[in-house]
Amino acid sequence: MPVDRLSSTFAALADPTRRAILARLALGETSVAELAAPFSISPPAVTKHLKVLQRAGLITQGRQAQWRPCKLEAAPLQEAASFIEQYRQFWEQSFDRLDSYLQELQKQEQGKKTVRKNKKKA
């Protein structure tokens, strides 16, 4: 069963090591060895992470003699961001409605306090 590109992107982003690799590649093209350096995992494990990122279309890996530079491909991330944006708008609208409701409750509570103070004075 073929997996759609958005599902592949989210699956690749699910792992913190792969997210760290992408963060490093956002700074610019680099070698596999440089990508592997900060991690306490074996080189084959790093290679597996890179393959997942490649299958998701998040990185490309070139070949220049012995150097195998990796490069970030941002288009799948833009698709994921667009998908998530729809839900961010939903939550912002929900929070705005909640904020309005809480402000109305505060006004009602202040009104009740004013009534109580006026009754005590009388």
mmCIF file of all heavy atoms in Angstrom, residues 2-52:
data_model
loop_
_atom_site.group_PDB
_atom_site.id
_atom_site.type_symbol
_atom_site.label_atom_id
_atom_site.label_comp_id
_atom_site.label_asym_id
_atom_site.label_seq_id
_atom_site.Cartn_x
_atom_site.Cartn_y
_atom_site.Cartn_z
ATOM 1 N N PRO A 2 0.773 2.105 -1.008
ATOM 2 C CA PRO A 2 1.610 3.300 -1.063
ATOM 3 C C PRO A 2 1.224 4.306 0.028
ATOM 4 O O PRO A 2 0.050 4.445 0.369
ATOM 5 C CB PRO A 2 1.339 3.869 -2.455
ATOM 6 C CG PRO A 2 0.064 3.260 -2.898
ATOM 7 C CD PRO A 2 -0.097 1.974 -2.164
ATOM 8 N N VAL A 3 2.229 4.965 0.568
ATOM 9 C CA VAL A 3 2.019 5.954 1.614
ATOM 10 C C VAL A 3 2.094 7.330 0.972
ATOM 11 O O VAL A 3 2.978 7.602 0.163
ATOM 12 C CB VAL A 3 3.093 5.808 2.720
ATOM 13 C CG1 VAL A 3 2.917 6.861 3.782
ATOM 14 C CG2 VAL A 3 3.039 4.421 3.329
ATOM 15 N N ASP A 4 1.167 8.210 1.344
ATOM 16 C CA ASP A 4 1.198 9.559 0.775
ATOM 17 C C ASP A 4 2.371 10.352 1.356
ATOM 18 O O ASP A 4 2.927 10.015 2.400
ATOM 19 C CB ASP A 4 -0.142 10.264 1.014
ATOM 20 C CG ASP A 4 -0.392 10.530 2.484
ATOM 21 O OD1 ASP A 4 -0.713 9.568 3.212
ATOM 22 O OD2 ASP A 4 -0.266 11.683 2.906
ATOM 23 N N ARG A 5 2.729 11.405 0.662
ATOM 24 C CA ARG A 5 3.915 12.185 1.017
ATOM 25 C C ARG A 5 3.787 12.817 2.398
ATOM 26 O O ARG A 5 4.762 12.855 3.165
ATOM 27 C CB ARG A 5 4.138 13.257 -0.051
ATOM 28 C CG ARG A 5 5.411 14.032 0.120
ATOM 29 C CD ARG A 5 5.730 14.737 -1.146
ATOM 30 N NE ARG A 5 6.439 15.976 -0.878
ATOM 31 C CZ ARG A 5 7.074 16.658 -1.796
ATOM 32 N NH1 ARG A 5 7.046 16.250 -3.040
ATOM 33 N NH2 ARG A 5 7.698 17.757 -1.499
ATOM 34 N N LEU A 6 2.605 13.312 2.743
ATOM 35 C CA LEU A 6 2.415 13.936 4.046
ATOM 36 C C LEU A 6 2.611 12.920 5.174
ATOM 37 O O LEU A 6 3.254 13.215 6.180
ATOM 38 C CB LEU A 6 1.023 14.568 4.125
ATOM 39 C CG LEU A 6 0.729 15.464 5.308
ATOM 40 C CD1 LEU A 6 1.723 16.626 5.390
ATOM 41 C CD2 LEU A 6 -0.688 15.994 5.222
ATOM 42 N N SER A 7 2.106 11.715 4.995
ATOM 43 C CA SER A 7 2.295 10.662 6.004
ATOM 44 C C SER A 7 3.774 10.316 6.147
ATOM 45 O O SER A 7 4.267 10.130 7.260
ATOM 46 C CB SER A 7 1.500 9.407 5.627
ATOM 47 O OG SER A 7 0.124 9.679 5.650
ATOM 48 N N SER A 8 4.487 10.246 5.034
ATOM 49 C CA SER A 8 5.934 9.966 5.082
ATOM 50 C C SER A 8 6.678 11.066 5.815
ATOM 51 O O SER A 8 7.595 10.800 6.593
ATOM 52 C CB SER A 8 6.494 9.835 3.663
ATOM 53 O OG SER A 8 5.950 8.735 3.014
ATOM 54 N N THR A 9 6.271 12.303 5.575
ATOM 55 C CA THR A 9 6.920 13.441 6.239
ATOM 56 C C THR A 9 6.714 13.363 7.737
ATOM 57 O O THR A 9 7.677 13.466 8.511
ATOM 58 C CB THR A 9 6.368 14.777 5.695
ATOM 59 O OG1 THR A 9 6.642 14.854 4.300
ATOM 60 C CG2 THR A 9 6.993 15.964 6.401
ATOM 61 N N PHE A 10 5.471 13.160 8.158
ATOM 62 C CA PHE A 10 5.205 13.093 9.599
ATOM 63 C C PHE A 10 5.877 11.884 10.239
ATOM 64 O O PHE A 10 6.376 11.977 11.367
ATOM 65 C CB PHE A 10 3.708 13.096 9.889
ATOM 66 C CG PHE A 10 3.097 14.466 9.771
ATOM 67 C CD1 PHE A 10 2.053 14.687 8.896
ATOM 68 C CD2 PHE A 10 3.560 15.529 10.520
ATOM 69 C CE1 PHE A 10 1.483 15.944 8.780
ATOM 70 C CE2 PHE A 10 3.009 16.795 10.413
ATOM 71 C CZ PHE A 10 1.960 17.006 9.537
ATOM 72 N N ALA A 11 5.926 10.768 9.548
ATOM 73 C CA ALA A 11 6.605 9.585 10.086
ATOM 74 C C ALA A 11 8.099 9.869 10.270
ATOM 75 O O ALA A 11 8.697 9.489 11.281
ATOM 76 C CB ALA A 11 6.396 8.389 9.170
ATOM 77 N N ALA A 12 8.692 10.547 9.307
ATOM 78 C CA ALA A 12 10.114 10.885 9.407
ATOM 79 C C ALA A 12 10.365 11.876 10.539
ATOM 80 O O ALA A 12 11.380 11.790 11.243
ATOM 81 C CB ALA A 12 10.609 11.459 8.083
ATOM 82 N N LEU A 13 9.451 12.798 10.734
ATOM 83 C CA LEU A 13 9.608 13.815 11.778
ATOM 84 C C LEU A 13 9.323 13.269 13.176
ATOM 85 O O LEU A 13 9.601 13.941 14.174
ATOM 86 C CB LEU A 13 8.675 14.996 11.503
ATOM 87 C CG LEU A 13 8.995 15.824 10.263
ATOM 88 C CD1 LEU A 13 7.899 16.860 10.032
ATOM 89 C CD2 LEU A 13 10.359 16.473 10.377
ATOM 90 N N ALA A 14 8.781 12.071 13.270
ATOM 91 C CA ALA A 14 8.415 11.500 14.560
ATOM 92 C C ALA A 14 9.623 11.164 15.431
ATOM 93 O O ALA A 14 9.490 11.034 16.640
ATOM 94 C CB ALA A 14 7.564 10.250 14.354
ATOM 95 N N ASP A 15 10.786 11.059 14.834
ATOM 96 C CA ASP A 15 11.978 10.663 15.585
ATOM 97 C C ASP A 15 12.834 11.893 15.912
ATOM 98 O O ASP A 15 13.163 12.680 15.027
ATOM 99 C CB ASP A 15 12.796 9.671 14.752
ATOM 100 C CG ASP A 15 13.968 9.137 15.530
ATOM 101 O OD1 ASP A 15 15.035 9.784 15.503
ATOM 102 O OD2 ASP A 15 13.817 8.094 16.178
ATOM 103 N N PRO A 16 13.252 12.063 17.184
ATOM 104 C CA PRO A 16 14.052 13.234 17.554
ATOM 105 C C PRO A 16 15.417 13.287 16.877
ATOM 106 O O PRO A 16 15.927 14.382 16.595
ATOM 107 C CB PRO A 16 14.195 13.128 19.074
ATOM 108 C CG PRO A 16 13.778 11.748 19.435
ATOM 109 C CD PRO A 16 12.921 11.222 18.330
ATOM 110 N N THR A 17 16.019 12.138 16.603
ATOM 111 C CA THR A 17 17.311 12.135 15.909
ATOM 112 C C THR A 17 17.150 12.689 14.503
ATOM 113 O O THR A 17 17.956 13.507 14.044
ATOM 114 C CB THR A 17 17.905 10.708 15.856
ATOM 115 O OG1 THR A 17 18.067 10.236 17.196
ATOM 116 C CG2 THR A 17 19.230 10.693 15.132
ATOM 117 N N ARG A 18 16.093 12.284 13.811
ATOM 118 C CA ARG A 18 15.873 12.785 12.457
ATOM 119 C C ARG A 18 15.557 14.277 12.476
ATOM 120 O O ARG A 18 15.986 15.014 11.595
ATOM 121 C CB ARG A 18 14.778 11.977 11.771
ATOM 122 C CG ARG A 18 15.240 10.557 11.469
ATOM 123 C CD ARG A 18 14.312 9.821 10.547
ATOM 124 N NE ARG A 18 13.045 9.437 11.135
ATOM 125 C CZ ARG A 18 12.805 8.274 11.718
ATOM 126 N NH1 ARG A 18 13.770 7.353 11.809
ATOM 127 N NH2 ARG A 18 11.610 7.998 12.200
ATOM 128 N N ARG A 19 14.817 14.728 13.487
ATOM 129 C CA ARG A 19 14.547 16.170 13.586
ATOM 130 C C ARG A 19 15.842 16.939 13.818
ATOM 131 O O ARG A 19 16.051 18.017 13.257
ATOM 132 C CB ARG A 19 13.530 16.450 14.689
ATOM 133 C CG ARG A 19 12.133 15.958 14.348
ATOM 134 C CD ARG A 19 11.089 16.490 15.322
ATOM 135 N NE ARG A 19 11.354 16.190 16.718
ATOM 136 C CZ ARG A 19 10.917 15.111 17.360
ATOM 137 N NH1 ARG A 19 10.185 14.200 16.720
ATOM 138 N NH2 ARG A 19 11.186 14.931 18.635
ATOM 139 N N ALA A 20 16.731 16.381 14.627
ATOM 140 C CA ALA A 20 18.027 17.035 14.877
ATOM 141 C C ALA A 20 18.867 17.080 13.598
ATOM 142 O O ALA A 20 19.546 18.077 13.320
ATOM 143 C CB ALA A 20 18.776 16.321 15.992
ATOM 144 N N ILE A 21 18.812 16.024 12.827
ATOM 145 C CA ILE A 21 19.537 15.993 11.553
ATOM 146 C C ILE A 21 18.997 17.084 10.630
ATOM 147 O O ILE A 21 19.764 17.822 10.003
ATOM 148 C CB ILE A 21 19.439 14.602 10.897
ATOM 149 C CG1 ILE A 21 20.274 13.585 11.689
ATOM 150 C CG2 ILE A 21 19.882 14.649 9.429
ATOM 151 C CD1 ILE A 21 20.064 12.141 11.284
ATOM 152 N N LEU A 22 17.685 17.202 10.556
ATOM 153 C CA LEU A 22 17.093 18.246 9.709
ATOM 154 C C LEU A 22 17.468 19.641 10.200
ATOM 155 O O LEU A 22 17.739 20.532 9.391
ATOM 156 C CB LEU A 22 15.569 18.094 9.656
ATOM 157 C CG LEU A 22 15.047 16.884 8.902
ATOM 158 C CD1 LEU A 22 13.531 16.795 9.028
ATOM 159 C CD2 LEU A 22 15.463 16.916 7.441
ATOM 160 N N ALA A 23 17.493 19.822 11.520
ATOM 161 C CA ALA A 23 17.879 21.122 12.076
ATOM 162 C C ALA A 23 19.305 21.473 11.666
ATOM 163 O O ALA A 23 19.605 22.614 11.310
ATOM 164 C CB ALA A 23 17.737 21.117 13.596
ATOM 165 N N ARG A 24 20.185 20.491 11.694
ATOM 166 C CA ARG A 24 21.571 20.738 11.273
ATOM 167 C C ARG A 24 21.626 21.064 9.787
ATOM 168 O O ARG A 24 22.348 21.958 9.364
ATOM 169 C CB ARG A 24 22.441 19.516 11.598
ATOM 170 C CG ARG A 24 23.833 19.536 11.004
ATOM 171 C CD ARG A 24 24.611 20.809 11.354
ATOM 172 N NE ARG A 24 25.830 20.927 10.604
ATOM 173 C CZ ARG A 24 25.970 21.546 9.426
ATOM 174 N NH1 ARG A 24 24.934 22.115 8.842
ATOM 175 N NH2 ARG A 24 27.142 21.612 8.831
ATOM 176 N N LEU A 25 20.863 20.341 8.976
ATOM 177 C CA LEU A 25 20.875 20.584 7.534
ATOM 178 C C LEU A 25 20.247 21.927 7.166
ATOM 179 O O LEU A 25 20.520 22.461 6.097
ATOM 180 C CB LEU A 25 20.187 19.441 6.791
ATOM 181 C CG LEU A 25 20.963 18.134 6.779
ATOM 182 C CD1 LEU A 25 20.132 17.014 6.174
ATOM 183 C CD2 LEU A 25 22.287 18.297 6.033
ATOM 184 N N ALA A 26 19.426 22.462 8.043
ATOM 185 C CA ALA A 26 18.859 23.795 7.798
ATOM 186 C C ALA A 26 19.951 24.861 7.795
ATOM 187 O O ALA A 26 19.779 25.934 7.214
ATOM 188 C CB ALA A 26 17.803 24.120 8.843
ATOM 189 N N LEU A 27 21.081 24.542 8.412
ATOM 190 C CA LEU A 27 22.218 25.475 8.423
ATOM 191 C C LEU A 27 23.041 25.388 7.146
ATOM 192 O O LEU A 27 23.860 26.250 6.886
ATOM 193 C CB LEU A 27 23.115 25.193 9.632
ATOM 194 C CG LEU A 27 22.441 25.298 11.000
ATOM 195 C CD1 LEU A 27 23.399 24.853 12.094
ATOM 196 C CD2 LEU A 27 21.928 26.699 11.233
ATOM 197 N N GLY A 28 22.854 24.316 6.391
ATOM 198 C CA GLY A 28 23.591 24.146 5.143
ATOM 199 C C GLY A 28 23.976 22.699 4.903
ATOM 200 O O GLY A 28 23.898 21.849 5.791
ATOM 201 N N GLU A 29 24.386 22.452 3.680
ATOM 202 C CA GLU A 29 24.790 21.117 3.240
ATOM 203 C C GLU A 29 25.971 20.621 4.079
ATOM 204 O O GLU A 29 26.864 21.387 4.421
ATOM 205 C CB GLU A 29 25.197 21.233 1.766
ATOM 206 C CG GLU A 29 25.384 19.954 1.043
ATOM 207 C CD GLU A 29 25.627 20.203 -0.436
ATOM 208 O OE1 GLU A 29 24.676 20.534 -1.153
ATOM 209 O OE2 GLU A 29 26.789 20.059 -0.845
ATOM 210 N N THR A 30 25.971 19.329 4.388
ATOM 211 C CA THR A 30 27.064 18.767 5.181
ATOM 212 C C THR A 30 27.213 17.276 4.887
ATOM 213 O O THR A 30 26.359 16.668 4.273
ATOM 214 C CB THR A 30 26.840 19.019 6.693
ATOM 215 O OG1 THR A 30 28.018 18.669 7.404
ATOM 216 C CG2 THR A 30 25.676 18.236 7.231
ATOM 217 N N SER A 31 28.304 16.711 5.369
ATOM 218 C CA SER A 31 28.581 15.290 5.112
ATOM 219 C C SER A 31 27.882 14.400 6.127
ATOM 220 O O SER A 31 27.480 14.839 7.202
ATOM 221 C CB SER A 31 30.093 15.040 5.182
ATOM 222 O OG SER A 31 30.526 15.139 6.529
ATOM 223 N N VAL A 32 27.785 13.134 5.786
ATOM 224 C CA VAL A 32 27.187 12.139 6.678
ATOM 225 C C VAL A 32 27.989 12.063 7.972
ATOM 226 O O VAL A 32 27.413 12.008 9.066
ATOM 227 C CB VAL A 32 27.111 10.760 5.985
ATOM 228 C CG1 VAL A 32 26.648 9.691 6.952
ATOM 229 C CG2 VAL A 32 26.200 10.830 4.764
ATOM 230 N N ALA A 33 29.295 12.094 7.876
ATOM 231 C CA ALA A 33 30.145 12.017 9.068
ATOM 232 C C ALA A 33 29.873 13.201 10.005
ATOM 233 O O ALA A 33 29.792 13.020 11.226
ATOM 234 C CB ALA A 33 31.619 11.988 8.672
ATOM 235 N N GLU A 34 29.736 14.387 9.453
ATOM 236 C CA GLU A 34 29.448 15.561 10.281
ATOM 237 C C GLU A 34 28.060 15.465 10.910
ATOM 238 O O GLU A 34 27.857 15.903 12.039
ATOM 239 C CB GLU A 34 29.583 16.837 9.456
ATOM 240 C CG GLU A 34 31.021 17.165 9.094
ATOM 241 C CD GLU A 34 31.121 18.304 8.079
ATOM 242 O OE1 GLU A 34 30.102 18.670 7.461
ATOM 243 O OE2 GLU A 34 32.232 18.813 7.901
ATOM 244 N N LEU A 35 27.117 14.900 10.169
ATOM 245 C CA LEU A 35 25.770 14.724 10.719
ATOM 246 C C LEU A 35 25.767 13.725 11.859
ATOM 247 O O LEU A 35 25.032 13.875 12.835
ATOM 248 C CB LEU A 35 24.797 14.255 9.626
ATOM 249 C CG LEU A 35 24.376 15.289 8.608
ATOM 250 C CD1 LEU A 35 23.562 14.635 7.511
ATOM 251 C CD2 LEU A 35 23.594 16.414 9.265
ATOM 252 N N ALA A 36 26.581 12.689 11.754
ATOM 253 C CA ALA A 36 26.622 11.621 12.753
ATOM 254 C C ALA A 36 27.355 12.034 14.023
ATOM 255 O O ALA A 36 27.083 11.480 15.099
ATOM 256 C CB ALA A 36 27.284 10.391 12.160
ATOM 257 N N ALA A 37 28.258 12.994 13.930
ATOM 258 C CA ALA A 37 29.135 13.353 15.046
ATOM 259 C C ALA A 37 28.421 13.610 16.380
ATOM 260 O O ALA A 37 28.857 13.096 17.406
ATOM 261 C CB ALA A 37 30.007 14.540 14.658
ATOM 262 N N PRO A 38 27.344 14.383 16.423
ATOM 263 C CA PRO A 38 26.747 14.695 17.737
ATOM 264 C C PRO A 38 25.965 13.548 18.381
ATOM 265 O O PRO A 38 25.561 13.645 19.533
ATOM 266 C CB PRO A 38 25.804 15.862 17.454
ATOM 267 C CG PRO A 38 25.769 16.085 15.999
ATOM 268 C CD PRO A 38 26.725 15.146 15.355
ATOM 269 N N PHE A 39 25.753 12.473 17.661
ATOM 270 C CA PHE A 39 24.902 11.392 18.166
ATOM 271 C C PHE A 39 25.728 10.230 18.693
ATOM 272 O O PHE A 39 26.764 9.888 18.142
ATOM 273 C CB PHE A 39 23.961 10.894 17.062
ATOM 274 C CG PHE A 39 23.116 11.989 16.482
ATOM 275 C CD1 PHE A 39 23.380 12.472 15.207
ATOM 276 C CD2 PHE A 39 22.088 12.561 17.206
ATOM 277 C CE1 PHE A 39 22.626 13.495 14.662
ATOM 278 C CE2 PHE A 39 21.329 13.579 16.673
ATOM 279 C CZ PHE A 39 21.589 14.054 15.401
ATOM 280 N N SER A 40 25.225 9.622 19.741
ATOM 281 C CA SER A 40 25.914 8.454 20.312
ATOM 282 C C SER A 40 25.274 7.181 19.759
ATOM 283 O O SER A 40 24.891 6.282 20.509
ATOM 284 C CB SER A 40 25.847 8.489 21.836
ATOM 285 O OG SER A 40 24.497 8.517 22.246
ATOM 286 N N ILE A 41 25.157 7.132 18.445
ATOM 287 C CA ILE A 41 24.612 5.949 17.774
ATOM 288 C C ILE A 41 25.610 5.519 16.704
ATOM 289 O O ILE A 41 26.473 6.299 16.295
ATOM 290 C CB ILE A 41 23.218 6.210 17.159
ATOM 291 C CG1 ILE A 41 23.239 7.376 16.168
ATOM 292 C CG2 ILE A 41 22.184 6.463 18.250
ATOM 293 C CD1 ILE A 41 21.914 7.645 15.477
ATOM 294 N N SER A 42 25.489 4.309 16.263
ATOM 295 C CA SER A 42 26.433 3.761 15.291
ATOM 296 C C SER A 42 26.245 4.415 13.921
ATOM 297 O O SER A 42 25.158 4.900 13.590
ATOM 298 C CB SER A 42 26.232 2.251 15.162
ATOM 299 O OG SER A 42 24.971 1.991 14.555
ATOM 300 N N PRO A 43 27.302 4.422 13.108
ATOM 301 C CA PRO A 43 27.164 4.947 11.740
ATOM 302 C C PRO A 43 26.059 4.262 10.934
ATOM 303 O O PRO A 43 25.318 4.945 10.219
ATOM 304 C CB PRO A 43 28.549 4.717 11.131
ATOM 305 C CG PRO A 43 29.480 4.751 12.305
ATOM 306 C CD PRO A 43 28.697 4.115 13.431
ATOM 307 N N PRO A 44 25.882 2.925 11.046
ATOM 308 C CA PRO A 44 24.765 2.321 10.320
ATOM 309 C C PRO A 44 23.393 2.847 10.778
ATOM 310 O O PRO A 44 22.479 2.974 9.968
ATOM 311 C CB PRO A 44 24.895 0.826 10.615
ATOM 312 C CG PRO A 44 26.336 0.630 10.938
ATOM 313 C CD PRO A 44 26.754 1.895 11.635
ATOM 314 N N ALA A 45 23.265 3.173 12.057
ATOM 315 C CA ALA A 45 22.001 3.725 12.566
ATOM 316 C C ALA A 45 21.743 5.103 11.960
ATOM 317 O O ALA A 45 20.619 5.428 11.588
ATOM 318 C CB ALA A 45 22.020 3.798 14.085
ATOM 319 N N VAL A 46 22.808 5.898 11.853
ATOM 320 C CA VAL A 46 22.676 7.218 11.217
ATOM 321 C C VAL A 46 22.260 7.042 9.763
ATOM 322 O O VAL A 46 21.374 7.746 9.269
ATOM 323 C CB VAL A 46 23.991 8.022 11.323
ATOM 324 C CG1 VAL A 46 23.925 9.299 10.495
ATOM 325 C CG2 VAL A 46 24.294 8.354 12.772
ATOM 326 N N THR A 47 22.861 6.082 9.087
ATOM 327 C CA THR A 47 22.523 5.806 7.685
ATOM 328 C C THR A 47 21.045 5.428 7.550
ATOM 329 O O THR A 47 20.373 5.870 6.615
ATOM 330 C CB THR A 47 23.422 4.692 7.126
ATOM 331 O OG1 THR A 47 24.780 5.126 7.217
ATOM 332 C CG2 THR A 47 23.088 4.373 5.690
ATOM 333 N N LYS A 48 20.539 4.647 8.481
ATOM 334 C CA LYS A 48 19.124 4.281 8.448
ATOM 335 C C LYS A 48 18.233 5.509 8.595
ATOM 336 O O LYS A 48 17.225 5.653 7.902
ATOM 337 C CB LYS A 48 18.798 3.249 9.529
ATOM 338 C CG LYS A 48 19.305 1.870 9.215
ATOM 339 C CD LYS A 48 18.917 0.889 10.302
ATOM 340 C CE LYS A 48 19.458 -0.491 9.986
ATOM 341 N NZ LYS A 48 19.068 -1.475 11.009
ATOM 342 N N HIS A 49 18.609 6.404 9.511
ATOM 343 C CA HIS A 49 17.844 7.644 9.683
ATOM 344 C C HIS A 49 17.866 8.464 8.396
ATOM 345 O O HIS A 49 16.841 9.008 7.980
ATOM 346 C CB HIS A 49 18.410 8.476 10.834
ATOM 347 C CG HIS A 49 18.036 7.961 12.193
ATOM 348 N ND1 HIS A 49 16.740 7.893 12.649
ATOM 349 C CD2 HIS A 49 18.812 7.501 13.210
ATOM 350 C CE1 HIS A 49 16.719 7.415 13.880
ATOM 351 N NE2 HIS A 49 17.969 7.159 14.237
ATOM 352 N N LEU A 50 19.019 8.531 7.758
ATOM 353 C CA LEU A 50 19.135 9.293 6.518
ATOM 354 C C LEU A 50 18.275 8.684 5.411
ATOM 355 O O LEU A 50 17.662 9.418 4.617
ATOM 356 C CB LEU A 50 20.597 9.386 6.072
ATOM 357 C CG LEU A 50 21.509 10.203 7.001
ATOM 358 C CD1 LEU A 50 22.946 10.134 6.516
ATOM 359 C CD2 LEU A 50 21.040 11.638 7.126
ATOM 360 N N LYS A 51 18.204 7.365 5.370
ATOM 361 C CA LYS A 51 17.372 6.708 4.355
ATOM 362 C C LYS A 51 15.893 7.029 4.565
ATOM 363 O O LYS A 51 15.160 7.246 3.596
ATOM 364 C CB LYS A 51 17.617 5.198 4.356
ATOM 365 C CG LYS A 51 18.938 4.825 3.730
ATOM 366 C CD LYS A 51 19.143 3.326 3.721
ATOM 367 C CE LYS A 51 20.519 3.007 3.119
ATOM 368 N NZ LYS A 51 20.769 1.565 3.076
ATOM 369 N N VAL A 52 15.460 7.069 5.820
ATOM 370 C CA VAL A 52 14.065 7.423 6.113
ATOM 371 C C VAL A 52 13.793 8.856 5.633
ATOM 372 O O VAL A 52 12.770 9.135 5.001
ATOM 373 C CB VAL A 52 13.754 7.281 7.621
ATOM 374 C CG1 VAL A 52 12.395 7.878 7.965
ATOM 375 C CG2 VAL A 52 13.824 5.819 8.043
#
